[in-house]
Amino acid sequence: MILVFGSINMDLVAAVTAIPRPGETVLSPGYRTLFGGKGANQAVAAARMGSDVTMVGRVGQDGFGEACRANLAANGVGTDHIVAGTAPTGCAFITVDAAGENAITVASGANAAVEGSDVPASLLGPQTLAVMQMEIPLAASLAAATRVRNAGGRVIWNLAPAPADLGAAELRALLATTDILVVNEIEALMAAKALGGATDFKAAARRLAREGNTICVVTAGASGAFFSTPDGETRHVPAVPVSPVDTTGAGDTFVGVLASELARRGELALRSTLDAALGRACAAASMACLATGAQAGMPTRPQLDAWQPR
Ligand code: RIB
């Protein structure tokens, strides 16, 4: 069973010619209201692969919250443990430029009230593969991850978005609960900085893997993904090249599909398992870039199986 513990947002998405610089105003013909939140996106990505997925998080007692919950359920994600609190549902303000790149501001709302105790004991056990991100309070995620590990489960931690002020003690505590860390190139360098720094993202991944005694996966966009193991091995999995329409949610698709593939294959740390799972995650992330919105382009398992990129 995959337990996604994280954020649930409604995304307000505007297409722009160029993302505004500080102090600048740009015009967009309109905006779309789309389902998002890193946690919810990862849950949907894993569920579309056919995995048994339960989401734990918080929404507000408002229309966005109801719609987000209904969307998760419609995608096959278990929603019984989503709490409707007093704060409004999280909202992300997203601009997407002509090259498919984005800039995102998240108004956390209900996500900021999530607590580690929101995860019921009934979801914990050796079969639990938990997926964490960084859009809810870190203390809550650390508490939940510790409970997952104490019950014999495993944890994939996506360090996104990486906080600029992440301290060494916090990072070490996070790594101590982590079986697989997933970061992008920038997050890898930011995290390694908390441990003393690294010259490039590959060196950062090696440092994080060694010092955290964990597997560190780095997503590198069009260059694919790399993973480093605690014993210093680094491997590369190529991306599937596409012309992106919108890269929003590509990283979440990667994490959700990775979790699904690892849960299906069982043994997380096997090199062959990782190679295969990361190949599927890279392909799914490329597919996700072919539609506007975080979840619109996420493939189902049959769609991923059948995909023949040009
Ligand atoms: O990773 C993409 C997501 O980040 C968006 O869906 C938005 O909600 C923000 O959380």
Side-chain angles (χ1 to χ4, degrees), residues 90-119:
C91 209
F93 306 95
I94 304 180
T95 44
V96 181
D97 72 11
E101 292 295 339
N102 62 48
I104 303 177
T105 302
V106 177
S108 295
N111 296 305
V114 174
E115 296 181 4
S117 56
D118 288 355
V119 179

Side-chain angles (χ1 to χ4, degrees), residues 7 9-11 35-38 41 92 94 104 106 135 248-249 252 294:
S7 57
N9 293 334
M10 192 62 92
D11 292 352
F35 297 107
K38 290 190 192 302
N41 293 341
I94 304 180
I104 303 177
V106 177
E135 284 188 335
T248 309
D252 298 332

Side-chain angles (χ1 to χ4, degrees), residues 15 18 58-59 62 105 116 135 141 152 164 185 203 226 232 243 251 267 269 306:
R58 294 200 184 200
V59 293
D62 48 30
T105 302
E135 284 188 335
S141 295
E185 297 154 278
F226 296 79
S243 299
E267 182 47 68

Side-chain angles (χ1 to χ4, degrees), residues 182-187 201 217-221 224-226 251 254-255 282:
V182 183
V183 285
N184 65 22
E185 297 154 278
I186 295 167
E187 291 153 1
F201 77 85
V217 174
V218 184
T219 57
F226 296 79
F254 182 96
V255 172
C282 279

Side-chain angles (χ1 to χ4, degrees), residues 207-219:
R207 180 162 205 162
L208 290 162
R210 188 181 64 247
E211 294 197 27
N213 191 28
T214 187
I215 291 163
C216 180
V217 174
V218 184
T219 57

